[in-house]
Amino acid sequence: MEKKNLDWANMGFGYRKTDKRFVSTFKDNKWDEGALIEDDMITMSECACVLQYAQTCFEGLKAYTTADGRIVCFRPDLNAQRMFDTCARLEMPQYPVDKFVEAVVKTVKANEAYVPPYGSGATLYIRPYMFGINPVIGVKPADEYQFRIFTTPVGPYFKGGAKPITIRVSDFDRAAPRGTGNVKAGLNYAMSLHAIVSAHREGFDENLYLDPATRTKVEETGGANFLFISKDNKVVTPKSDSILPSITRRSLMYVAENYLGLEVEQREVYLDELTDFAECCLCGTAAVLSPVGKIVDHGREICFPSGMEKMGTITQKLYDTLTGIQMGTIEAPKGWICEIK
Ligand SMILES: *Cc1c(COP(=O)(O)O)cnc(C)c1O
């Protein structure tokens, strides 16, 4: 298979059409077999449920080339399970977990020419998604759905290394108590757009969202979970029912405990205690891990001792170990790496 002639190292994080995408249709109460198709356009009714009532959800994962030249993706079964859970919450038909993983493998295989080479920093981003497609005007779930997967090659998330970022405490909330914050619904992102655009306008990289009920506890950012490192090297992550269960975060907590021998803790984290931590980072599929140097709470600056120049020591160890596992230079826990062949 010949690779596409793309400038892998200088690609941005944007959409670029690839050759094939997977489509399966839910109709008459069942999913069809699904197929790989070439057409990247979707035609639907002006009254499609997704357009009127935002009945849509998604997942995100990556395929990449390991040090020894295999094409793999990372824990796709967890993305499958999370979409399964999301669909239950949004009254959408669940796509079977094993079929989801099969479809991911097939779609990556069909776009193998777009999987960036090892060492380029680029990856093939995989976007599974589902939406209600038949006309719905009285508010109710759709009867017909499409489950789709497309892929797009994306450049390194951080060009020239990950510099610590600055985050502000947002005045907006991301999710309601007992709302949809813990599922990957498109609507969670629609309502975060205003907050992120205004944060950028004011010179911040991201928003820290507080728990909406008491606004005293740390939840997450618009698309990444938090990890904090205490001064005695404990890895702490916030616990809340409205945080999206990040696969990267769950993997990093496992790595911290089982590879680095660190103590880990998932508990409520109060805004008031952030000054006690030594390091802070965000985690998610896109960047794996981004160090946070500073959190600004309405003019009050919380500066982490790790500073604004580089990742903290523990953060760096977590990053190196997880990316080593992903790239095949460190042995992975059983079932974490899914080879595309
Ligand atoms: C997708 C997502 C994350 C990151 O999850 P990963 O599985 O690690 O990619 C974190 N927060 C939110 C709100 C998300 O939608």
Side-chain angles (χ1 to χ4, degrees):
M1 179 263 329
E2 200 172 326
K3 290 281 174 196
K4 300 283 171 181
N5 185 21
L6 298 172
D7 185 5
W8 307 108
N10 294 303
M11 236 178 312
F13 202 93
Y15 172 77
R16 183 189 300 257
K17 183 180 155 186
T18 58
D19 296 342
K20 297 282 173 70
R21 66 271 305 96
F22 179 84
V23 189
S24 178
T25 300
F26 184 87
K27 204 173 174 168
D28 302 324
N29 266 320
K30 57 180 191 299
W31 287 107
D32 69 7
E33 264 312 291
L36 289 165
I37 61 165
E38 267 161 34
D39 191 359
D40 61 319
M41 302 305 269
I42 301 174
T43 303
M44 67 178 83
S45 163
E46 62 189 354
C47 197
C49 195
V50 58
L51 299 180
Q52 302 310 324
Y53 302 126
Q55 196 186 20
T56 179
C57 63
F58 68 100
E59 275 301 326
L61 66 162
K62 288 168 168 178
Y64 47 89
T65 310
T66 59
D68 59 358
R70 294 171 301 141
I71 293 176
V72 303
C73 52
F74 185 69
R75 311 188 78 180
D77 52 317
L78 297 191
N79 295 96
Q81 185 61 51
R82 192 167 62 189
M83 181 176 261
F84 198 83
D85 299 340
T86 298
C87 287
R89 178 67 176 81
L90 300 179
E91 288 296 335
M92 300 172 78
Q94 289 162 308
Y95 198 77
V97 167
D98 55 335
K99 292 262 188 189
F100 177 112
V101 175
E102 252 172 55
V104 165
V105 171
K106 265 190 213 163
T107 313
V108 173
K109 183 91 194 138
N111 295 293
E112 214 178 322
Y114 293 92
V115 181
Y118 174 74
S120 63
T123 55
L124 186 70
Y125 186 75
I126 307 164
R127 170 51 60 87
Y129 59 113
M130 193 195 292
F131 52 92
I133 196 168
N134 65 294
V136 170
I137 192 76
V139 177
K140 61 172 186 172
D143 303 305
E144 291 170 22
Y145 294 81
Q146 282 192 6
F147 168 69
R148 287 180 167 251
I149 305 175
F150 70 74
T151 59
T152 184
V154 292
Y157 202 79
F158 297 114
K159 286 207 181 77
K163 278 272 179 192
I165 58 172
T166 301
I167 297 183
R168 73 158 180 198
V169 175
S170 177
D171 285 327
F172 299 101
D173 293 328
R174 187 189 83 87
R178 298 170 292 280
T180 55
N182 60 345
V183 298
K184 227 167 163 70
L187 62 93
N188 292 343
Y189 278 76
M191 47 150 294
S192 74
L193 297 175
H194 176 60
I196 193 64
V197 169
S198 58
H200 287 164
R201 205 185 294 131
E202 289 162 35
F204 301 103
D205 298 299
E206 278 292 344
N207 285 300
L208 180 159
Y209 292 104
L210 296 172
D211 75 294
T214 70
R215 298 191 56 83
T216 57
K217 290 174 274 185
V218 175
E219 297 245 299
E220 59 171 323
T221 67
N225 286 182
F226 275 104
L227 291 184
F228 297 97
I229 318 295
S230 69
K231 287 180 177 142
D232 55 357
N233 291 346
K234 196 183 288 176
V235 182
V236 180
T237 195
K239 182 184 172 111
S240 154
D241 291 339
S242 43
I243 291 177
L244 193 281
S246 156
I247 294 164
T248 315
R249 185 254 299 162
R250 286 181 270 163
S251 305
L252 286 166
M253 293 298 273
Y254 183 91
V255 162
E257 190 169 17
N258 297 283
Y259 282 68
L260 303 177
L262 299 170
E263 214 178 307
V264 298
E265 205 168 68
Q266 186 173 16
R267 61 160 171 89
E268 293 180 324
V269 173
Y270 288 84
L271 182 59
D272 277 353
E273 64 172 307
L274 293 190
T275 45
D276 297 343
F277 290 113
E279 301 175 29
C280 171
C281 64
L282 297 178
C283 52
T285 295
V288 180
L289 191 156
S290 351
V292 176
K294 192 195 290 185
I295 294 176
V296 181
D297 176 19
H298 302 90
R300 181 174 73 104
E301 294 197 344
I302 301 159
C303 299
F304 294 100
S306 51
M308 295 301 294
E309 286 307 310
K310 54 177 180 41
M311 282 192 194
T313 321
I314 301 290
T315 304
Q316 185 75 53
K317 277 188 191 162
L318 285 167
Y319 178 81
D320 291 345
T321 312
L322 186 62
T323 51
I325 288 170
Q326 291 178 330
M327 291 300 166
T329 57
I330 296 175
E331 194 179 341
K334 201 168 165 343
W336 278 26
I337 304 295
C338 168
E339 193 169 342
I340 311 291
K341 45 180 180 193

